Amino acid sequence: MARPRTPLLSRERIVAAALALVDAEGLAALSTRRLATELSVSGPSLYNHFATKDELLDAVVDSVMGEVDLSMFRPPAPWRTALRDWARSYRAALAAHPAIVPVLAQGPGRRPNALRLADAVFGCLVAAGWPRGQATRIGALMRYFVTGSALGSFAAGFPEDAALYTEEYPHLGEAHKLAEHRRRIDEGAFETGLEALLDGLELRYGRTVNSTRGNDQ
């Protein structure tokens, strides 16, 4: 009986295995030797596809960026609706791979999916009439907000020991219950912040873009 063939090594297979490893054990677990073991191949064979570990990590991070939906930016997309829907998709991708977030926070680099994302956000804002400088700052602001929300859980950070809060922290009398409702609280905080941020941008839009249009008439 013929022995089962090992699937051919490819960039896609290597990236998928590396991401699974990072998801399970964190960035520190990713090494050429460990990844080769996971794929049942020799370490040097990985270098036929990725010259360095940094190049591999870039591809892993960019694969996560590829999970973010950008379809909402197709014209004629209202900028506020597009930003809201994109931010939700962006956060969902990061929440599924939280160990990757610190690398993402460094910026897009030369990663194609990350650059495509930045291009879509900036293009939508400029098309809506935002000045290019403000569109750049809004894109940065949205990235700060989304990546920050994915870095950890506010609710899970509170100990579940009710006695801890009794005397010293009287206003936190119910804090021991927060971890139990972690998902609802964290998602609710994200949605509250997102709507508040978009409300503020809409006010700014009215003051800058609409006034500029009025002066052109």
Side-chain angles (χ1 to χ4, degrees):
M1 183 175 179
R3 295 178 61 186
R5 295 178 59 189
T6 301
L8 292 175
L9 203 58
S10 65
R11 287 179 64 93
E12 292 75 17
R13 185 171 170 237
I14 294 170
V15 168
L19 180 57
L21 180 59
V22 171
D23 284 344
E25 300 182 31
L27 282 169
L30 182 61
S31 68
T32 303
R33 178 179 297 180
R34 177 66 188 280
L35 188 56
T37 300
E38 295 291 323
L39 290 165
S40 301
V41 299
S42 64
S45 65
L46 298 177
Y47 293 110
N48 293 327
H49 300 273
F50 296 98
T52 65
K53 178 182 172 181
D54 286 343
E55 183 182 331
L56 169 59
L57 185 56
D58 267 351
V60 172
V61 172
D62 205 44
S63 72
V64 174
M65 289 293 87
E67 298 178 12
V68 181
D69 183 15
L70 299 178
S71 64
M72 67 286 295
F73 290 114
R74 295 178 188 139
W79 68 267
R80 175 174 177 144
T81 302
L83 282 186
R84 180 196 295 117
D85 293 345
W86 164 71
R88 288 170 176 167
S89 178
Y90 193 7
R91 181 176 182 270
L94 300 191
H97 310 285
I100 289 294
V101 175
V103 184
L104 280 171
Q106 298 171 9
R110 292 178 176 271
R111 303 169 194 136
N113 287 324
L115 289 169
R116 195 172 296 117
L117 183 154
D119 181 73
V121 174
F122 182 76
C124 174
L125 292 170
V126 170
W130 284 98
R132 295 175 68 87
Q134 289 200 42
T136 299
R137 292 190 288 273
I138 292 168
L141 167 64
M142 295 299 294
R143 184 168 67 84
Y144 297 153
F145 174 69
V146 176
T147 56
S149 74
L151 278 173
S153 167
F154 172 82
F158 288 86
E160 297 181 28
D161 179 7
L164 174 67
Y165 308 97
T166 304
E167 295 182 4
E168 296 292 331
Y169 314 104
H171 300 297
L172 299 179
E174 300 293 312
H176 63 286
K177 300 178 181 178
L178 293 177
E180 180 183 349
H181 305 287
R182 170 179 175 173
R183 181 172 179 178
R184 178 172 59 83
I185 292 169
D186 290 343
E187 290 184 356
F190 173 77
E191 288 295 328
T192 299
L194 179 60
E195 290 302 322
L197 190 156
L198 293 172
D199 285 345
L201 288 177
E202 194 152 40
L203 289 173
R204 179 179 290 263
Y205 186 82
R207 291 197 301 267
T208 59
V209 178
N210 290 338
S211 63
T212 300
R213 288 174 176 169
N215 292 334
D216 291 340
Q217 294 177 355

